[in-house]
Amino acid sequence: MKRREFIKKTGASGLLAGSLISAAPAVHAGTKIKWKMVTTWPKNFPGLGTGANNLARLITEMSGGRLRVKVYGAKELVPAFEVFDAVSRGTAQMGHGAAYYWKGKVPAAQFFAAVPFGMNAQEMNAWLYYGGGEKLWQDLYQSFNIIPTAAGNTGVQMGGWFNKEINSVTDLKGLKMRIPGLGAEVLKRAGGTPVSLPGGEIYTSLQSGAIDATEWVGPYNDLAFGLYKAAKYYYYPGWHEPGSVLEALINKKAYAELPSDLQSIVMNACKIVNADMLAEYTARNNTALHTLVSKHKVQLRPFPDDVLKKLAQLSEVVVKEVAAKDKHAQKIYQSFYNFREQAMAWGKISEQAFLRAREL
Ligand code: CA
């Protein structure tokens, strides 16, 4: 089978690969609008950076070129951790990143990226779209002139890369590890030293020994960064990121100036990318894990149960502290955990029961 045919038949290059507009002239006449999208990812980074590219392309194509979005990688226009401010100020009309990167400014934002032992991708989407989560998120960013929405999900991440085995909680003591969000605070309570680094700086930091361990995403992305060359043990599961939501940030003023059809295109393109990215991660993690283990001889290890139990206890404390910071955080926390409780009850007799049945 020729490559092009193969891609066509299997959809190997992803849902968004095919051009959605034909060669026909643009149906919609009118003003052409240009937007900038700043991102926290290295330009074109697999999954995350390409997800941002897909989002920009979809908006441009679905609008027949009336709204053109240009993507900037981290540091091209602003550094990774200044994406939020750039969109807030209107330096860029859009951003793509993850909400836990803004924890210094908006601690409750972390609920909308990843909560340790929180909810998986399917449950997060359910909460955001049908459980009131998205409304709480938008209220939280209101005063920053930003509209946030989900635009991607990695699924359950991996626990990370370590130079030594983790056999008990004491092995975490003194460990200098790159880990974002609430998971960072949990590691700190377990005696470790969390380090905040954007993706693009992880490999060299691990290689040079500036950090002892790191988490990043999962097999697909970790293979792309070559993390297996800098650490030997690859731990699972990603207790700290059970279904990380990637975030589209939209400048509120720029959005308000769009005609309603373009507004709809922007929001729906985010929804498409949200679903597409999870499918891509699921598919590519499968093959990348195989490559890591069989080709690069990575040592795959589960965290011991007592380590996970301890981390879960510490997580509960940490999350409650964030919730206690202000009224809005408390409201988000309540909503999140009420939803999680219901999701767990249903999950037990649906996904969990099925996964168990499949293994019998
Ligand atoms: Ca991660």
Side-chain angles (χ1 to χ4, degrees), residues 115-118 158-160 162 166-173 175 177 179 182-193 235-241 302-320 337 340:
V115 173
F117 302 92
M158 283 293 283
F162 299 80
I166 304 298
N167 295 315
S168 72
V169 182
T170 50
D171 291 321
L172 297 174
K173 292 210 189 312
L175 195 78
M177 180 176 181
I179 178 169
L182 294 159
E185 193 53 38
V186 175
L187 178 73
K188 199 168 161 187
R189 305 292 168 96
T193 306
Y235 271 85
Y236 65 92
W239 55 272
H240 62 303
E241 299 203 54
F303 284 119
D305 280 358
D306 59 338
V307 170
L308 289 172
K309 274 182 198 160
K310 182 69 188 168
L311 292 169
Q313 282 166 10
L314 294 169
S315 297
E316 209 173 305
V317 176
V318 165
V319 172
K320 274 189 182 146
Y337 277 91
R340 177 178 176 270

Short mmCIF file of all heavy atoms in Angstrom, two decimals, residues 115-118 158-160 162 166-173 175 177 179 182-193 235-241 302-320 337 340:
data_model
loop_
_atom_site.label_atom_id
_atom_site.label_comp_id
_atom_site.label_asym_id
_atom_site.label_seq_id
_atom_site.Cartn_x
_atom_site.Cartn_y
_atom_site.Cartn_z
N VAL A 115 -5.35 17.05 39.11
CA VAL A 115 -5.41 16.92 40.56
C VAL A 115 -4.89 15.52 40.90
O VAL A 115 -5.37 14.54 40.35
CB VAL A 115 -6.85 17.10 41.08
CG1 VAL A 115 -6.93 16.78 42.57
CG2 VAL A 115 -7.35 18.51 40.80
N PRO A 116 -3.87 15.43 41.77
CA PRO A 116 -3.37 14.10 42.14
C PRO A 116 -4.51 13.21 42.65
O PRO A 116 -5.32 13.65 43.47
CB PRO A 116 -2.38 14.41 43.27
CG PRO A 116 -1.94 15.82 43.01
CD PRO A 116 -3.14 16.51 42.42
N PHE A 117 -4.57 12.01 42.13
CA PHE A 117 -5.62 11.05 42.49
C PHE A 117 -7.03 11.62 42.21
O PHE A 117 -8.00 11.24 42.85
CB PHE A 117 -5.50 10.61 43.96
CG PHE A 117 -4.16 9.99 44.27
CD1 PHE A 117 -3.10 10.76 44.76
CD2 PHE A 117 -3.94 8.64 44.06
CE1 PHE A 117 -1.85 10.20 45.02
CE2 PHE A 117 -2.69 8.07 44.32
CZ PHE A 117 -1.65 8.84 44.81
N GLY A 118 -7.09 12.54 41.26
CA GLY A 118 -8.36 13.22 40.94
C GLY A 118 -9.23 12.47 39.96
O GLY A 118 -9.77 11.41 40.28
N MET A 158 2.58 9.15 32.98
CA MET A 158 3.49 8.22 33.66
C MET A 158 4.00 8.89 34.94
O MET A 158 4.02 10.11 35.06
CB MET A 158 4.65 7.84 32.76
CG MET A 158 4.30 6.82 31.68
SD MET A 158 3.87 5.16 32.32
CE MET A 158 5.49 4.49 32.70
N GLY A 159 4.45 8.07 35.89
CA GLY A 159 4.94 8.58 37.17
C GLY A 159 6.28 9.30 37.06
O GLY A 159 6.57 10.17 37.88
N GLY A 160 7.07 8.95 36.07
CA GLY A 160 8.32 9.67 35.84
C GLY A 160 9.55 8.79 35.74
O GLY A 160 9.49 7.57 35.86
N PHE A 162 13.44 7.96 37.02
CA PHE A 162 14.25 7.99 38.23
C PHE A 162 15.58 7.27 37.99
O PHE A 162 15.64 6.31 37.23
CB PHE A 162 13.52 7.31 39.39
CG PHE A 162 12.20 7.98 39.75
CD1 PHE A 162 11.05 7.74 39.00
CD2 PHE A 162 12.12 8.86 40.82
CE1 PHE A 162 9.83 8.35 39.33
CE2 PHE A 162 10.91 9.48 41.15
CZ PHE A 162 9.77 9.22 40.39
N ILE A 166 12.41 3.20 43.52
CA ILE A 166 11.60 3.78 44.60
C ILE A 166 10.88 2.62 45.29
O ILE A 166 9.89 2.11 44.78
CB ILE A 166 10.57 4.81 44.04
CG1 ILE A 166 11.27 5.90 43.21
CG2 ILE A 166 9.75 5.42 45.18
CD1 ILE A 166 12.26 6.77 43.98
N ASN A 167 11.43 2.20 46.41
CA ASN A 167 10.85 1.05 47.11
C ASN A 167 10.00 1.44 48.31
O ASN A 167 9.19 0.66 48.78
CB ASN A 167 11.95 0.09 47.54
CG ASN A 167 12.65 -0.52 46.33
OD1 ASN A 167 11.99 -0.95 45.38
ND2 ASN A 167 13.98 -0.50 46.33
N SER A 168 10.26 2.65 48.82
CA SER A 168 9.45 3.13 49.95
C SER A 168 9.43 4.66 49.90
O SER A 168 10.17 5.27 49.11
CB SER A 168 10.04 2.65 51.28
OG SER A 168 11.23 3.38 51.54
N VAL A 169 8.61 5.25 50.76
CA VAL A 169 8.49 6.71 50.77
C VAL A 169 9.83 7.37 51.09
O VAL A 169 10.12 8.46 50.60
CB VAL A 169 7.40 7.15 51.78
CG1 VAL A 169 7.23 8.66 51.77
CG2 VAL A 169 6.06 6.50 51.44
N THR A 170 10.65 6.70 51.88
CA THR A 170 11.95 7.29 52.24
C THR A 170 12.85 7.52 51.01
O THR A 170 13.71 8.39 51.03
CB THR A 170 12.72 6.43 53.28
OG1 THR A 170 12.72 5.09 52.79
CG2 THR A 170 12.07 6.47 54.64
N ASP A 171 12.61 6.74 49.95
CA ASP A 171 13.39 6.94 48.72
C ASP A 171 13.05 8.27 48.03
O ASP A 171 13.76 8.69 47.12
CB ASP A 171 13.17 5.78 47.75
CG ASP A 171 13.80 4.49 48.27
OD1 ASP A 171 14.90 4.57 48.84
OD2 ASP A 171 13.18 3.42 48.10
N LEU A 172 11.95 8.89 48.45
CA LEU A 172 11.58 10.18 47.86
C LEU A 172 12.26 11.34 48.59
O LEU A 172 12.31 12.46 48.09
CB LEU A 172 10.05 10.38 47.90
CG LEU A 172 9.20 9.37 47.11
CD1 LEU A 172 7.71 9.62 47.36
CD2 LEU A 172 9.49 9.47 45.61
N LYS A 173 12.76 11.05 49.79
CA LYS A 173 13.38 12.11 50.60
C LYS A 173 14.64 12.66 49.91
O LYS A 173 15.49 11.91 49.47
CB LYS A 173 13.73 11.59 51.99
CG LYS A 173 12.49 11.27 52.81
CD LYS A 173 12.71 11.45 54.30
CE LYS A 173 11.54 10.92 55.13
NZ LYS A 173 10.20 11.33 54.70
N LEU A 175 14.86 13.93 47.12
CA LEU A 175 14.83 13.76 45.67
C LEU A 175 14.48 15.09 44.98
O LEU A 175 13.44 15.69 45.26
CB LEU A 175 13.78 12.70 45.31
CG LEU A 175 13.84 12.15 43.90
CD1 LEU A 175 14.96 11.12 43.77
CD2 LEU A 175 12.50 11.51 43.54
N MET A 177 13.17 16.68 41.96
CA MET A 177 12.39 16.20 40.81
C MET A 177 11.61 17.30 40.12
O MET A 177 10.96 18.11 40.77
CB MET A 177 11.42 15.11 41.28
CG MET A 177 10.55 14.53 40.18
SD MET A 177 9.51 13.17 40.79
CE MET A 177 8.67 12.73 39.25
N ILE A 179 8.48 18.38 38.60
CA ILE A 179 7.08 17.95 38.66
C ILE A 179 6.22 19.20 38.82
O ILE A 179 6.53 20.05 39.64
CB ILE A 179 6.87 16.89 39.80
CG1 ILE A 179 5.40 16.48 39.91
CG2 ILE A 179 7.40 17.36 41.14
CD1 ILE A 179 5.17 15.26 40.81
N LEU A 182 -0.05 20.54 41.61
CA LEU A 182 -0.28 20.06 42.97
C LEU A 182 0.64 18.90 43.33
O LEU A 182 1.03 18.73 44.48
CB LEU A 182 -1.75 19.63 43.11
CG LEU A 182 -2.78 20.77 42.99
CD1 LEU A 182 -4.15 20.24 42.62
CD2 LEU A 182 -2.84 21.57 44.28
N GLY A 183 0.99 18.11 42.34
CA GLY A 183 1.91 16.99 42.56
C GLY A 183 3.23 17.47 43.15
O GLY A 183 3.84 16.77 43.95
N ALA A 184 3.66 18.67 42.75
CA ALA A 184 4.91 19.24 43.26
C ALA A 184 4.82 19.43 44.77
O ALA A 184 5.74 19.08 45.51
CB ALA A 184 5.19 20.57 42.56
N GLU A 185 3.72 19.97 45.22
CA GLU A 185 3.53 20.21 46.65
C GLU A 185 3.46 18.89 47.42
O GLU A 185 3.97 18.79 48.54
CB GLU A 185 2.26 21.05 46.86
CG GLU A 185 2.09 21.65 48.23
CD GLU A 185 3.28 22.47 48.72
OE1 GLU A 185 3.90 23.18 47.90
OE2 GLU A 185 3.59 22.38 49.94
N VAL A 186 2.84 17.90 46.80
CA VAL A 186 2.75 16.58 47.44
C VAL A 186 4.15 15.97 47.60
O VAL A 186 4.49 15.44 48.66
CB VAL A 186 1.83 15.63 46.62
CG1 VAL A 186 1.82 14.23 47.21
CG2 VAL A 186 0.41 16.20 46.56
N LEU A 187 4.94 16.08 46.56
CA LEU A 187 6.32 15.56 46.63
C LEU A 187 7.11 16.24 47.75
O LEU A 187 7.86 15.61 48.49
CB LEU A 187 7.05 15.76 45.29
CG LEU A 187 8.51 15.29 45.28
CD1 LEU A 187 8.59 13.76 45.27
CD2 LEU A 187 9.29 15.87 44.11
N LYS A 188 6.88 17.55 47.88
CA LYS A 188 7.56 18.33 48.92
C LYS A 188 7.18 17.80 50.31
O LYS A 188 8.05 17.63 51.17
CB LYS A 188 7.13 19.79 48.78
CG LYS A 188 8.03 20.77 49.45
CD LYS A 188 7.64 22.15 48.98
CE LYS A 188 8.12 23.25 49.88
NZ LYS A 188 7.56 24.54 49.45
N ARG A 189 5.89 17.51 50.50
CA ARG A 189 5.43 16.98 51.80
C ARG A 189 6.00 15.58 52.07
O ARG A 189 6.10 15.16 53.21
CB ARG A 189 3.89 16.90 51.85
CG ARG A 189 3.17 18.19 51.56
CD ARG A 189 3.38 19.23 52.66
NE ARG A 189 2.90 20.52 52.20
CZ ARG A 189 1.69 21.01 52.48
NH1 ARG A 189 0.84 20.33 53.23
NH2 ARG A 189 1.33 22.20 52.01
N ALA A 190 6.33 14.89 50.97
CA ALA A 190 6.91 13.55 51.12
C ALA A 190 8.43 13.62 51.34
O ALA A 190 9.10 12.60 51.43
CB ALA A 190 6.59 12.70 49.90
N GLY A 191 8.95 14.85 51.38
CA GLY A 191 10.38 15.03 51.67
C GLY A 191 11.23 15.34 50.46
O GLY A 191 12.45 15.52 50.57
N GLY A 192 10.62 15.41 49.29
CA GLY A 192 11.37 15.70 48.07
C GLY A 192 11.49 17.19 47.81
O GLY A 192 10.93 18.00 48.54
N THR A 193 12.26 17.53 46.76
CA THR A 193 12.40 18.92 46.37
C THR A 193 11.87 19.09 44.95
O THR A 193 12.54 18.71 43.98
CB THR A 193 13.89 19.35 46.40
OG1 THR A 193 14.40 19.04 47.69
CG2 THR A 193 14.06 20.83 46.12
N TYR A 235 8.63 4.88 36.08
CA TYR A 235 7.59 4.47 37.03
C TYR A 235 6.17 4.82 36.58
O TYR A 235 5.95 5.82 35.88
CB TYR A 235 7.86 5.11 38.40
CG TYR A 235 8.76 4.23 39.25
CD1 TYR A 235 10.14 4.30 39.13
CD2 TYR A 235 8.21 3.29 40.13
CE1 TYR A 235 10.96 3.47 39.88
CE2 TYR A 235 9.03 2.47 40.88
CZ TYR A 235 10.40 2.55 40.76
OH TYR A 235 11.21 1.72 41.49
N TYR A 236 5.23 4.00 37.02
CA TYR A 236 3.81 4.23 36.76
C TYR A 236 3.00 3.89 38.00
O TYR A 236 3.49 3.20 38.86
CB TYR A 236 3.35 3.41 35.55
CG TYR A 236 3.39 1.90 35.75
CD1 TYR A 236 2.27 1.21 36.22
CD2 TYR A 236 4.55 1.16 35.45
CE1 TYR A 236 2.30 -0.17 36.39
CE2 TYR A 236 4.58 -0.21 35.63
CZ TYR A 236 3.45 -0.86 36.09
OH TYR A 236 3.49 -2.23 36.27
N PRO A 237 1.76 4.38 38.15
CA PRO A 237 1.07 5.29 37.23
C PRO A 237 1.36 6.75 37.58
O PRO A 237 1.95 7.04 38.62
CB PRO A 237 -0.40 4.98 37.52
CG PRO A 237 -0.41 4.69 39.00
CD PRO A 237 0.90 4.01 39.28
N GLY A 238 0.93 7.65 36.70
CA GLY A 238 1.07 9.08 36.98
C GLY A 238 -0.02 9.53 37.95
O GLY A 238 -0.98 10.17 37.58
N TRP A 239 0.20 9.20 39.21
CA TRP A 239 -0.77 9.53 40.28
C TRP A 239 -1.06 11.03 40.33
O TRP A 239 -2.15 11.44 40.71
CB TRP A 239 -0.19 9.07 41.64
CG TRP A 239 1.16 9.66 41.91
CD1 TRP A 239 2.36 9.13 41.53
CD2 TRP A 239 1.47 10.90 42.56
NE1 TRP A 239 3.39 9.97 41.91
CE2 TRP A 239 2.88 11.06 42.54
CE3 TRP A 239 0.68 11.90 43.16
CZ2 TRP A 239 3.52 12.17 43.10
CZ3 TRP A 239 1.33 13.01 43.71
CH2 TRP A 239 2.72 13.14 43.67
N HIS A 240 -0.07 11.81 39.94
CA HIS A 240 -0.18 13.27 40.03
C HIS A 240 -0.92 13.88 38.85
O HIS A 240 -1.34 15.03 38.90
CB HIS A 240 1.21 13.89 40.15
CG HIS A 240 2.06 13.59 38.94
ND1 HIS A 240 2.32 12.31 38.50
CD2 HIS A 240 2.67 14.43 38.06
CE1 HIS A 240 3.07 12.38 37.40
NE2 HIS A 240 3.29 13.65 37.13
N GLU A 241 -1.00 13.13 37.73
CA GLU A 241 -1.67 13.66 36.54
C GLU A 241 -2.51 12.56 35.88
O GLU A 241 -2.11 11.96 34.89
CB GLU A 241 -0.64 14.22 35.55
CG GLU A 241 0.16 15.38 36.12
CD GLU A 241 0.75 16.28 35.04
OE1 GLU A 241 -0.02 16.76 34.19
OE2 GLU A 241 1.97 16.50 35.06
N PRO A 302 6.19 -0.38 38.74
CA PRO A 302 5.02 0.24 39.38
C PRO A 302 5.44 0.84 40.71
O PRO A 302 6.29 0.29 41.39
CB PRO A 302 4.08 -0.95 39.61
CG PRO A 302 4.98 -2.13 39.72
CD PRO A 302 6.26 -1.84 38.98
N PHE A 303 4.87 1.99 41.08
CA PHE A 303 5.10 2.50 42.44
C PHE A 303 4.52 1.48 43.42
O PHE A 303 3.42 0.97 43.20
CB PHE A 303 4.37 3.83 42.66
CG PHE A 303 5.04 5.01 42.00
CD1 PHE A 303 4.37 5.74 41.02
CD2 PHE A 303 6.31 5.42 42.38
CE1 PHE A 303 4.96 6.84 40.42
CE2 PHE A 303 6.92 6.52 41.78
CZ PHE A 303 6.24 7.24 40.81
N PRO A 304 5.23 1.17 44.51
CA PRO A 304 4.65 0.26 45.51
C PRO A 304 3.36 0.84 46.08
O PRO A 304 3.22 2.06 46.18
CB PRO A 304 5.73 0.20 46.60
CG PRO A 304 6.99 0.67 45.94
CD PRO A 304 6.57 1.62 44.88
N ASP A 305 2.45 -0.04 46.46
CA ASP A 305 1.14 0.41 46.98
C ASP A 305 1.28 1.34 48.18
O ASP A 305 0.53 2.31 48.30
CB ASP A 305 0.29 -0.81 47.40
CG ASP A 305 -0.36 -1.46 46.18
OD1 ASP A 305 -0.17 -0.94 45.05
OD2 ASP A 305 -1.05 -2.49 46.36
N ASP A 306 2.22 1.05 49.08
CA ASP A 306 2.31 1.91 50.27
C ASP A 306 2.84 3.31 49.92
O ASP A 306 2.50 4.28 50.59
CB ASP A 306 3.12 1.25 51.41
CG ASP A 306 4.54 0.91 51.00
OD1 ASP A 306 4.78 0.79 49.78
OD2 ASP A 306 5.41 0.80 51.88
N VAL A 307 3.63 3.40 48.86
CA VAL A 307 4.07 4.73 48.39
C VAL A 307 2.85 5.48 47.85
O VAL A 307 2.64 6.66 48.18
CB VAL A 307 5.18 4.61 47.30
CG1 VAL A 307 5.46 5.95 46.65
CG2 VAL A 307 6.45 4.03 47.91
N LEU A 308 2.06 4.81 47.04
CA LEU A 308 0.87 5.45 46.46
C LEU A 308 -0.12 5.87 47.56
O LEU A 308 -0.70 6.95 47.50
CB LEU A 308 0.18 4.51 45.47
CG LEU A 308 0.94 4.27 44.15
CD1 LEU A 308 0.26 3.18 43.33
CD2 LEU A 308 1.04 5.56 43.33
N LYS A 309 -0.27 5.00 48.55
CA LYS A 309 -1.21 5.33 49.65
C LYS A 309 -0.75 6.58 50.39
O LYS A 309 -1.56 7.45 50.73
CB LYS A 309 -1.32 4.15 50.62
CG LYS A 309 -2.36 3.14 50.20
CD LYS A 309 -2.48 2.02 51.22
CE LYS A 309 -3.18 0.82 50.61
NZ LYS A 309 -2.92 -0.42 51.33
N LYS A 310 0.53 6.65 50.65
CA LYS A 310 1.08 7.82 51.36
C LYS A 310 0.89 9.08 50.51
O LYS A 310 0.48 10.14 51.00
CB LYS A 310 2.57 7.58 51.66
CG LYS A 310 3.25 8.70 52.43
CD LYS A 310 2.71 8.78 53.87
CE LYS A 310 3.24 10.01 54.57
NZ LYS A 310 2.53 10.24 55.85
N LEU A 311 1.19 8.98 49.22
CA LEU A 311 1.05 10.13 48.33
C LEU A 311 -0.41 10.57 48.24
O LEU A 311 -0.71 11.76 48.16
CB LEU A 311 1.60 9.80 46.93
CG LEU A 311 3.13 9.61 46.85
CD1 LEU A 311 3.53 9.02 45.50
CD2 LEU A 311 3.87 10.92 47.10
N ALA A 312 -1.32 9.60 48.28
CA ALA A 312 -2.75 9.92 48.23
C ALA A 312 -3.17 10.68 49.48
O ALA A 312 -3.93 11.65 49.41
CB ALA A 312 -3.57 8.64 48.07
N GLN A 313 -2.65 10.24 50.65
CA GLN A 313 -2.97 10.94 51.92
C GLN A 313 -2.46 12.38 51.87
O GLN A 313 -3.17 13.31 52.23
CB GLN A 313 -2.29 10.23 53.10
CG GLN A 313 -2.99 8.98 53.57
CD GLN A 313 -2.09 8.16 54.51
OE1 GLN A 313 -1.04 8.63 54.94
NE2 GLN A 313 -2.51 6.95 54.80
N LEU A 314 -1.22 12.52 51.43
CA LEU A 314 -0.63 13.86 51.36
C LEU A 314 -1.38 14.73 50.36
O LEU A 314 -1.57 15.93 50.58
CB LEU A 314 0.85 13.77 50.97
CG LEU A 314 1.78 13.10 51.98
CD1 LEU A 314 3.15 12.83 51.38
CD2 LEU A 314 1.93 13.98 53.23
N SER A 315 -1.82 14.12 49.27
CA SER A 315 -2.56 14.86 48.23
C SER A 315 -3.83 15.46 48.81
O SER A 315 -4.19 16.61 48.51
CB SER A 315 -2.93 13.95 47.07
OG SER A 315 -1.77 13.48 46.44
N GLU A 316 -4.50 14.68 49.61
CA GLU A 316 -5.76 15.14 50.20
C GLU A 316 -5.53 16.41 51.02
O GLU A 316 -6.29 17.37 50.94
CB GLU A 316 -6.32 14.03 51.08
CG GLU A 316 -7.83 14.05 51.19
CD GLU A 316 -8.35 12.83 51.94
OE1 GLU A 316 -8.03 11.70 51.52
OE2 GLU A 316 -9.04 13.03 52.94
N VAL A 317 -4.45 16.40 51.79
CA VAL A 317 -4.11 17.55 52.63
C VAL A 317 -3.79 18.77 51.76
O VAL A 317 -4.30 19.87 51.98
CB VAL A 317 -2.88 17.22 53.53
CG1 VAL A 317 -2.45 18.44 54.34
CG2 VAL A 317 -3.20 16.05 54.45
N VAL A 318 -2.94 18.54 50.75
CA VAL A 318 -2.50 19.63 49.87
C VAL A 318 -3.69 20.26 49.13
O VAL A 318 -3.81 21.49 49.06
CB VAL A 318 -1.43 19.10 48.87
CG1 VAL A 318 -1.21 20.08 47.73
CG2 VAL A 318 -0.13 18.82 49.59
N VAL A 319 -4.54 19.43 48.59
CA VAL A 319 -5.69 19.94 47.81
C VAL A 319 -6.62 20.74 48.72
O VAL A 319 -7.11 21.80 48.33
CB VAL A 319 -6.43 18.77 47.12
CG1 VAL A 319 -7.72 19.25 46.49
CG2 VAL A 319 -5.54 18.13 46.06
N LYS A 320 -6.82 20.25 49.92
CA LYS A 320 -7.69 20.98 50.87
C LYS A 320 -7.11 22.34 51.21
O LYS A 320 -7.86 23.30 51.42
CB LYS A 320 -7.90 20.16 52.15
CG LYS A 320 -9.04 19.19 52.01
CD LYS A 320 -9.40 18.53 53.32
CE LYS A 320 -10.52 17.52 53.10
NZ LYS A 320 -10.43 16.36 53.96
N TYR A 337 -14.86 17.59 43.83
CA TYR A 337 -14.93 16.36 44.62
C TYR A 337 -16.32 15.74 44.68
O TYR A 337 -16.43 14.51 44.77
CB TYR A 337 -14.31 16.57 46.01
CG TYR A 337 -12.82 16.40 45.90
CD1 TYR A 337 -12.00 17.50 45.64
CD2 TYR A 337 -12.23 15.15 45.94
CE1 TYR A 337 -10.63 17.35 45.46
CE2 TYR A 337 -10.87 14.98 45.77
CZ TYR A 337 -10.08 16.09 45.53
OH TYR A 337 -8.73 15.92 45.33
N ARG A 340 -16.32 13.92 41.43
CA ARG A 340 -15.42 12.78 41.50
C ARG A 340 -16.07 11.60 42.23
O ARG A 340 -15.92 10.44 41.83
CB ARG A 340 -14.12 13.20 42.21
CG ARG A 340 -13.09 12.09 42.41
CD ARG A 340 -11.87 12.69 43.08
NE ARG A 340 -10.84 11.74 43.42
CZ ARG A 340 -10.76 11.11 44.58
NH1 ARG A 340 -11.68 11.30 45.51
NH2 ARG A 340 -9.75 10.28 44.82
#
